[in-house]
């Protein structure tokens, strides 16, 4: 939870915050870590110095022409993947909770169910820093630094000879523990108290409810018995001091902070698969005007019906139809097939595929979020947010588990208060706190969502697209895979295995020398395989003159003073 990043729901301090125009986070002007900057007569505040520097470099990129709209919790629009070039639209984009996909609103904020920071629904190609991850890392580092000596003090009584007690008396030790635990509980654990309170307010109890109740009860009880030691009978005293649980509160908060950091890191890493997919598409296209001239334009300015020029070795920017030209197009990023596909007038091309050596004129049909690549990206993103049947079961268990723990704690307090030894109130409070502390670090609600995030993200990195979380769960029971083509299992590029010369012709080595000489100037994947095969056999390649590539058929050249050709049957038939 970022400082100044308050939930949208009913906080009186909402009018005292500003929106960081770069990342969209809420910032308290009085404590803005990134400072402020005045532009066009208005002062803007930033969550960190990097956001301020980026804004100062190009304010218009982040302001745009549209004013931010207020949060809308039930928007049903479905934006497609974006390149992330305009963070100014953060306040207009749809954000959702990674653990509760049904929660959707305009602009960043916190989930009203679990309190987690919402994420953009539309994937972005930019590898932006995650403000929540940065904040949680900072809280964890400071909390861990304070918790280690606190834990050492609390556990020192168990060391043989009790060396620490000789240096620090028990009466002083508990006060030192209080001082060390205060920043851990009230600063390090503040996001969990916010989420716990939100869960109670929304009547949706979860893990953070227990964390907030358990750590608050342990800390509050410890402060009470420290200030009023007479409340505790001598039988409950610990090594001459009151029974305190400062280390329990601090350790629990530090461990949960560690879990949040690991989770946010994993989520950021799996988002890298989506960013890699988005990175396959170019950011600009070369549009042909009515007068025949062409110039580069941003991809978001391309519309269906526009004519685009795709030059050799460029990526196709849109889904469309070839109007002019012929070339071979590498579609392996979509199909997995290593060999390029020949494209001529009337044939379709896909965004993100790589054009070969020929030039093409393409009529745009689907652009932006409508392209096949964008739909694949959206599919991966939706799969990461989908919920598996076992996750729904975990949610049901959590919805019963948390109230059950609270009920058991209340019953414990009642029973000890009614039948326990004197002083009954103190015994009742101590045992109720013990129940809350023991039950508090519950990861049931995080294990399944994290497995889905990691599974779908890693699958996308390896070229495996998972339709939804249920499919991922069912896959665990699969024991046989049936593949429809060998291309699915290839290395992704061809390799020379054997050379079979004509019995009445040249030797194997001579045939390969001439073939490699022919293919050396070519960019075709088969050409690279033939040249690599010749070099593996340590053959010396002769030079080739008058090289000519016949698109879709092969190549011709003069090798060792004689005409030579390498290609398919149509080329050989043409040459006789």
């Amino acid at each position: 939870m970022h400082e100044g990043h308050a939930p949208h729901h009913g906080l009186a301090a909402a009018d005292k915050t500003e929106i960081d125009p770069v990342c969209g986070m809420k910032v308290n002007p009085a404590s803005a870590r990134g400072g402020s900057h005045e532009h066009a007569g208005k002062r803007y505040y930033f969550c960190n110095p990097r956001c301020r520097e980026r804004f100062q470099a190009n304010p218009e990129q982040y302001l745009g022409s549209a004013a931010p709209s207020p949060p809308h919790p039930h928007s049903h629009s479905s934006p497609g993947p974006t390149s992330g070039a305009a963070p100014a639209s953060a306040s207009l984009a749809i954000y959702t909770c990674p653990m509760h996909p049904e929660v959707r609103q305009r602009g960043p904020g916190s989930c009203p169910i679990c309190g987690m920071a919402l994420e953009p629904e539309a994937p972005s190609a930019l590898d932006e820093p995650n403000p929540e991850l940065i904040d949680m890392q900072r809280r964890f580092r400071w909390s861990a630094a304070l918790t280690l000596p606190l834990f050492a003090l609390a556990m020192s009584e168990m060391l043989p000879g009790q060396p620490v007690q000789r240096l620090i008396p028990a009466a002083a030790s508990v006060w030192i523990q209080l001082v060390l635990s205060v920043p851990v509980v009230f600063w390090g654990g503040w996001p969990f108290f916010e989420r716990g309170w939100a869960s109670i307010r929304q009547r949706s109890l979860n893990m953070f409810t227990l964390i907030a109740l358990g750590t608050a009860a342990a800390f509050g009880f410890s402060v009470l018995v420290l200030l009023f030691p007479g409340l505790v009978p001598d039988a409950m005293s610990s090594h001459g001091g009151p029974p305190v649980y400062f280390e329990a509160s601090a350790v629990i908060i530090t461990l949960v902070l560690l879990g949040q950091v690991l989770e946010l890191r994993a989520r950021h890493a799996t988002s890298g698969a989506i960013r890699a997919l988005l990175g396959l598409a170019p950011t600009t296209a070369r549009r042909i005007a009515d007068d025949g001239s062409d110039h580069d334009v941003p991809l978001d300015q391309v519309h269906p019906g526009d004519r685009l020029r795709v030059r050799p070795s460029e990526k196709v920017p849109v889904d469309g139809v070839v109007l002019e030209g012929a070339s071979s197009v590498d579609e392996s990023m979509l199909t997995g097939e290593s060999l390029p596909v020949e494209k001529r007038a009337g044939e379709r091309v896909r965004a993100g595929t790589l054009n070969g050596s020929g030039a093409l004129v393409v009529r745009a049909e689907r652009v932006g979020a409508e392209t096949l690549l964008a739909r694949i990206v959206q599919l991966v993103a939706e799969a990461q947010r989908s919920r598996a049947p076992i996750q729904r079961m975990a949610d049901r268990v959590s919805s019963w588990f948390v109230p059950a723990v609270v009920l058991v704690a209340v019953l414990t307090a009642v029973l000890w208060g009614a039948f326990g030894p004197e002083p009954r109130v103190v015994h009742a409070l101590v045992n109720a706190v013990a129940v809350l502390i023991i039950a508090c670090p519950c990861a049931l609600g995080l294990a399944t969502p994290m497995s889905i995030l990691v599974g779908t993200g890693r699958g996308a990195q390896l070229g495996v697209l998972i339709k939804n979380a249920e499919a991922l769960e069912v896959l665990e029971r699969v024991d046989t895979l049936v593949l429809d083509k060998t291309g699915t299992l290839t290395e992704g590029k061809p390799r020379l295995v054997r050379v079979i010369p004509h019995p009445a012709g040249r030797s194997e080595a001579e045939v390969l020398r001439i073939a490699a000489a022919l293919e050396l100037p070519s960019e075709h994947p088969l050409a690279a395989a033939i040249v690599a095969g010749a070099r593996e056999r340590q053959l010396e390649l002769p030079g080739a003159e008058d090289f000519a590539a016949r698109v879709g058929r092969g190549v011709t050249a003069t090798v060792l003073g004689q005409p030579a050709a390498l290609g398919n049957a149509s080329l050989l038939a043409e040459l006789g």
Side-chain angles (χ1 to χ4, degrees):
M1 183 70 70
H2 203 281
E3 278 112 338
H5 185 190
H8 285 295
H9 304 275
L11 287 185
D15 57 348
K16 298 181 181 179
T17 60
E18 297 283 344
I19 299 294
D20 185 326
V22 176
C23 65
M25 299 294 293
K26 282 194 172 184
V27 181
N28 188 337
S31 60
R33 291 183 176 273
S36 63
H37 176 72
E38 187 170 340
H39 174 74
K42 182 177 178 180
R43 184 160 294 279
Y44 297 90
Y45 297 87
F46 304 90
C47 66
N48 63 74
R50 183 177 177 183
C51 285
R52 185 187 71 247
E53 293 168 2
R54 294 174 63 186
F55 180 83
Q56 290 172 336
N58 189 1
E60 299 304 326
Q61 177 184 357
Y62 301 102
L63 296 178
S65 59
S69 63
H72 192 290
H74 300 294
S75 171
H76 296 284
S77 61
S78 181
T82 67
S83 64
S89 62
S91 58
L92 301 176
I94 300 297
Y95 279 65
T96 184
C97 175
M99 302 304 172
H100 300 90
E102 68 274 12
V103 175
R104 299 172 73 246
Q105 70 175 35
R106 291 194 180 276
S110 301
C111 175
I113 297 177
C114 67
M116 293 185 66
L118 302 181
E119 295 183 344
E121 189 175 57
S124 171
L126 292 182
D127 188 6
E128 295 284 348
N130 185 335
E132 187 184 18
L133 174 57
I134 295 172
D135 184 57
M136 285 293 180
Q137 285 176 327
R138 183 171 60 249
R139 292 178 190 269
F140 169 70
R141 283 194 295 265
W142 283 101
S143 296
L146 294 171
T147 299
L148 287 175
L150 169 59
F151 183 77
L153 276 176
M155 297 294 108
S156 62
E157 61 191 33
M158 299 182 180
L159 295 176
Q162 299 183 354
V164 178
Q165 271 70 20
R166 297 176 183 177
L167 298 174
I168 304 175
S173 175
V174 291
W175 285 99
I176 296 175
Q177 293 178 45
L178 170 62
V179 172
L180 291 173
S181 64
V182 165
V184 177
V185 173
F186 288 99
W187 179 72
W190 186 250
F192 307 139
F193 291 117
E194 283 187 324
R195 297 176 184 182
W197 173 244
S199 68
I200 295 173
R201 230 182 32 216
Q202 298 291 331
R203 298 175 185 174
S204 177
L205 304 183
N206 53 40
M207 181 186 70
F208 295 110
T209 315
L210 283 181
I211 292 172
L213 286 175
T215 55
F219 183 84
F221 172 79
S222 301
V223 171
L224 181 65
V225 298
L226 182 60
L227 297 177
F228 305 100
L231 295 175
V232 182
D234 294 338
M236 297 184 64
S237 297
S238 176
H239 296 271
V244 293
Y245 299 100
F246 293 122
E247 90 287 350
S249 298
V251 167
I252 288 172
I253 286 174
T254 303
L255 289 177
V256 176
L257 281 171
L258 175 60
Q260 292 293 294
V261 169
L262 295 176
E263 176 198 349
L264 290 168
R265 279 183 178 177
R267 204 188 311 161
H268 183 74
T270 55
S271 298
I274 294 179
R275 290 192 297 271
L277 287 173
L278 284 169
L280 294 174
T283 57
T284 61
R286 194 163 190 84
R287 185 165 58 192
I288 302 175
D290 293 338
D291 60 1
S293 62
D294 51 57
H295 56 281
D296 291 331
V297 297
L299 198 57
D300 56 7
Q301 295 182 15
V302 176
H303 305 286
D306 287 350
R307 290 186 304 151
L308 307 175
R309 190 180 307 280
V310 184
R311 291 170 292 189
S313 301
E314 285 186 340
K315 289 183 178 180
V316 180
V318 298
D319 289 1
V321 175
V322 177
L323 297 178
E324 302 173 16
S327 182
S328 57
V329 177
D330 181 0
E331 296 185 336
S332 59
M333 49 81 64
L334 289 177
T335 64
E337 296 288 354
S338 58
L339 294 182
V341 180
E342 305 301 330
K343 299 291 183 180
R344 300 179 183 277
E347 297 185 336
R348 297 187 178 278
V349 290
R350 301 290 188 182
T353 56
L354 182 63
N355 185 28
S357 57
L360 300 174
V361 175
V362 176
R363 183 181 68 242
E365 290 191 337
R366 292 188 175 90
V367 300
E370 299 300 319
T371 64
L372 178 62
L373 176 62
R375 294 202 299 273
I376 290 175
V377 171
Q378 194 66 27
L379 178 67
V380 174
E382 290 173 357
Q384 287 189 332
R385 293 192 296 265
S386 62
R387 303 171 76 79
I390 192 172
Q391 187 176 356
R392 290 191 288 269
M393 183 186 73
D395 290 342
R396 287 196 297 270
V397 171
S398 296
S399 65
W400 286 97
F401 176 74
V402 178
V405 170
V406 175
L407 179 61
V408 169
V410 172
L411 287 175
T412 301
V414 170
L415 292 175
W416 275 89
F419 305 106
E422 294 292 345
R424 293 177 178 176
V425 174
V426 176
H427 281 91
L429 184 58
V430 169
N431 288 284
V433 168
V435 171
L436 292 175
I437 291 175
I438 291 170
C440 140
C442 170
L444 185 62
L446 292 177
T448 304
M450 280 307 302
S451 65
I452 293 170
L453 282 168
V454 174
T456 55
R458 184 61 180 152
Q461 288 177 338
L462 298 175
V464 178
L465 300 180
I466 299 168
K467 184 177 181 181
N468 52 40
E470 184 174 359
L472 186 63
E473 181 180 332
V474 172
L475 185 63
E476 186 270 336
R477 300 192 294 271
V478 171
D479 58 8
T480 303
L481 290 175
V482 180
L483 304 169
D484 65 339
K485 56 184 177 180
T486 56
T488 310
L489 299 177
T490 60
E491 297 176 354
K493 58 181 180 180
R495 181 169 57 89
L496 181 65
V497 178
R498 294 178 62 195
V499 178
I500 306 175
H502 193 280
R506 300 173 185 262
S507 67
E508 177 180 333
E510 189 67 14
V511 169
L512 184 54
R513 283 184 70 230
I514 297 174
L518 275 166
E519 296 288 26
L520 190 59
S522 176
E523 298 176 352
H524 198 281
L526 289 180
I530 293 172
V531 173
R535 286 176 173 164
E536 285 176 4
R537 292 163 173 80
Q538 299 181 346
L539 299 178
E540 184 179 349
L541 305 185
E545 300 175 352
D546 303 325
F547 175 85
R550 310 290 184 92
V551 177
R553 290 178 295 168
V555 295
T556 60
T558 301
V559 180
L560 299 175
Q562 295 182 346
L566 179 63
N568 56 22
S570 63
L571 175 64
L572 300 182
E574 177 187 334
L575 298 176

